[in-house]
Amino acid sequence: MVFLPQITFEIVNEAIGYDPSGGGLNLLISNLIGAATMFAGIAMLGYLIYGAITWATAGGNEEKIETAQKAISNALIGMLIVVLATTIAAIVGSVIGTPILSPPWETLRP
């Protein structure tokens, strides 16, 4: 059986990347991904509500129903893209040994 070696990076310089104490680039990336995910969830909810209201008030108008269906499907596709991007970021973080999505809890001080 062949085992692949695990690659770990021992970057300690805060100016160029990962800081073991939780600061630096990994904390910035984690905060940006969290904010983007939150914004995408709020936007998806807004598009779903817009699509539902448009569909409910269409009154049989095919153009409005088609617009509503596109809004709902675009919202779901957009959220799927966000979930996939977050998953890819988690995989990349685990491969390079940097906690991109989950910085150390000690850094989350008030």
Side-chain angles (χ1 to χ4, degrees):
M1 186 176 291
V2 177
F3 293 101
L4 296 175
Q6 182 178 3
I7 299 171
T8 58
F9 295 103
E10 297 295 330
I11 300 173
V12 181
N13 188 348
E14 291 182 39
I16 63 168
Y18 178 66
D19 174 24
S21 66
L25 188 60
N26 64 326
L27 183 62
L28 175 68
I29 292 172
S30 177
N31 288 338
L32 288 176
I33 290 174
T37 304
M38 194 169 25
F39 176 74
I42 293 170
M44 184 200 71
L45 184 63
Y47 278 119
L48 285 176
I49 291 172
Y50 166 73
I53 290 173
T54 303
W55 199 330
T57 60
N61 187 350
E62 292 297 323
E63 288 180 16
K64 285 188 176 182
I65 292 174
E66 186 176 326
T67 302
Q69 288 174 342
K70 284 183 182 179
I72 291 171
S73 64
N74 287 341
L76 295 176
I77 290 170
M79 198 59 188
L80 178 68
I81 290 171
V82 169
V83 168
L84 288 175
T86 305
T87 304
I88 291 170
I91 291 170
V92 168
S94 67
V95 166
I96 64 173
T98 303
I100 292 176
L101 295 180
S102 57
W105 288 105
E106 297 84 30
T107 63
L108 303 175
R109 295 184 198 116

